[in-house]
Amino acid sequence: MEPMQLFELVIAMLLAIIALQYVATKLGVPPAAALLIGGGLLAFLPGLPVISLDPALVLVIFLPPLLMDGAWFIALGHLKRHMIGILSLAVGAVIFTTVVVAAVTHALLPDLPWAACAALGAIVSPPDAVSARAALANVPLPARLSILLEGESLLNDATGLVLFRFAVAAAVTGSFSAVDALGSFLFLAIGGALVGAAIGAVWVFLVRRLGDEYLMIAAAVIVPWISYLLGEQIHVSGVIAAVVTGLVCGWYQHVVFSAAVRMRGTSFWTVLIFLLEGSVFMLIGSSLRGVVERVGGFEIVLQEMAGPILLILLALTLARFAWVYGSEAVIVLLRALGWKRYKPVGARGAAVLSWTGMRGVVTLAVALSVPADMPGRDFMLVCAFAVILATVIIQGMSLGAVIRWAELREPDGVGPRVSMSQAEAVMAQAQVEIVERRAYNEAGELVHPQLLKRYRAKAEISADYAGQEDQYADRIQAHFDLVLEAIAAGRAELLRLHRAGDIDERTLQELERDLDLEELSAISAKAS
């Protein structure tokens, strides 16, 4: 493909992402499913080239920033508190699913070596971070379930990649050692964590000294790739390295970024992640044509592969249910024996956890990296694509309904000790105290009367509002509706002055920025 054709194809894909995202929003379906289906349909349009993905390039382009994004915004305190549950899903469930899929595959295809069956299990076992984020973007979940799924999606790829590596090595050498596999996994994980922590520390040190806000944002954008590539270069887990770097940077960004850097950086990063996530699903869908052509067409897929793939997909789904409900039973048993540290999520919560097993870019990229001479490679590739398609479309599109059916509620005593309105009151009190001390000069004269009046009023209103949100809800909504109407009126008048030539472009931009900040503040206050 010519470079110009490649560029035109990229632009066309980005336009398709925007269009499909819009359609998905209007129809109320998960964008991931719409993008995947849209990419699959576009793949068979006459005249379009067959999309051939380089698995290593796909992973290095998409995985680090998407992992960084998840780690950057995750609640670190909740992550530590629920680490046992997260590791149960990210390590235990992946290993268990790999074993189940390997056993079922070998039973269905006895001629396929055990190592190849294990490789297929490792390919399809880890749920995908991107798919999980996309499916959960617009569905409310209790904090515990959210952190379990977010934490799992950050760490399980490392487990799947290590299992796949050992399965391929076993297929090539004909030998396998569980002790060596465990030792290698620990080395890769610990090494990746150390690399990630080191890169995060260097990032914090440098960002404190850069000064220029655009350089700070640029440093935040490239750091996940640096961490991932360095981890892979020294043969430890690049996935873990990127995640730990994201955790470190996310923890310190509140003190090293100014408000302007945080607002501009977050806006840029949000758009970047949106395009990367959309591109992932579009590329997965677009690769369907190449996968089908490689195995000889849809007829071969339907006649020879559809039956085993459906049974493997069923085994894959049931394995997650078995692990989640089995873990739930263990917790109930431990509590019955007197160990009360861990609480069960409940039968309905376990059903939601079990149903969030969408696969995505990692599954496809790992399937594409299977050596060409490995037995069953074509079947693995078709199976991987079918698993992605089925889980994203079926589970992704029905997840909202499952969550509504479950009617999950935050358990009593779970959640932040201080509500948002109470936190606002505490913050307002701290502000008024500093203003009261500085509002008078050394002679005791009041030099900032309006500022003192403003902050005292804010502190009084916040204290009165704290804990009585329901009582003031209608008045608050009406208040900020009026504020937004006033901002709109001011913006219209500002544009009239500019269009009439009464103010120049610089004045327009400065005053419009003030209105934008005021509008964002009002929208945020109204939503909270």
Side-chain angles (χ1 to χ4, degrees), residues 102-168:
V104 171
T105 304
H106 194 265
L108 294 170
L109 306 171
D111 294 335
L112 200 61
W114 272 107
C117 297
L120 176 59
I123 290 169
V124 300
S125 59
D128 184 61
V130 184
S131 299
R133 282 160 43 88
L136 295 170
N138 299 313
V139 290
L141 277 178
R144 184 182 176 190
L145 292 186
S146 293
I147 202 68
L148 286 172
L149 292 171
E150 290 173 17
E152 177 196 14
S153 68
L154 292 177
L155 301 176
N156 59 11
D157 289 336
T159 307
L161 290 170
V162 170
L163 290 174
F164 174 75
R165 182 181 302 178
F166 273 92
V168 171

Side-chain angles (χ1 to χ4, degrees), residues 432 436 440 451-461:
V432 76
E436 286 176 340
Y440 298 86
L451 202 59
L452 182 58
K453 180 181 179 181
R454 171 188 164 192
Y455 275 93
R456 278 178 173 170
K458 181 180 178 181
E460 291 173 2
I461 292 171

Side-chain angles (χ1 to χ4, degrees), residues 126 144 199 203 210 216 231 306 335 344 369 374 377 398 456 524:
R144 184 182 176 190
I199 295 297
W203 179 85
L210 285 176
M216 297 168 78
R335 290 179 66 83
S369 69
M374 189 166 184
R377 183 182 188 274
S398 61
R456 278 178 173 170
S524 176

Side-chain angles (χ1 to χ4, degrees), residues 115 118-119 122 159-173 175-185 188 374:
T159 307
L161 290 170
V162 170
L163 290 174
F164 174 75
R165 182 181 302 178
F166 273 92
V168 171
V172 173
T173 63
S175 62
F176 173 76
S177 170
V179 175
D180 290 344
L182 177 60
S184 177
F185 178 79
L188 292 170
M374 189 166 184

Side-chain angles (χ1 to χ4, degrees), residues 500-519:
D502 295 331
I503 59 174
D504 59 15
E505 193 72 25
R506 182 174 181 179
T507 302
L508 170 68
Q509 291 176 356
E510 290 291 328
L511 294 178
E512 188 177 41
R513 183 187 63 182
D514 293 342
L515 288 173
D516 289 344
L517 292 173
E518 189 178 355
E519 182 178 346

Side-chain angles (χ1 to χ4, degrees), residues 321-385:
F321 272 87
W323 182 267
V324 171
Y325 276 96
S327 301
E328 189 80 351
V330 170
I331 294 174
V332 171
L333 178 61
L334 290 175
R335 290 179 66 83
L337 295 175
W339 197 20
K340 307 290 187 180
R341 180 177 178 183
Y342 300 108
K343 296 181 179 180
V345 296
R348 296 195 174 201
V352 173
L353 278 179
S354 301
W355 197 243
T356 50
M358 289 73 68
R359 272 63 175 179
V361 61
V362 174
T363 291
L364 183 63
V366 175
L368 290 168
S369 69
V370 174
D373 58 349
M374 189 166 184
R377 183 182 188 274
D378 290 347
F379 178 78
M380 293 182 195
L381 198 55
V382 175
C383 186
F385 192 93

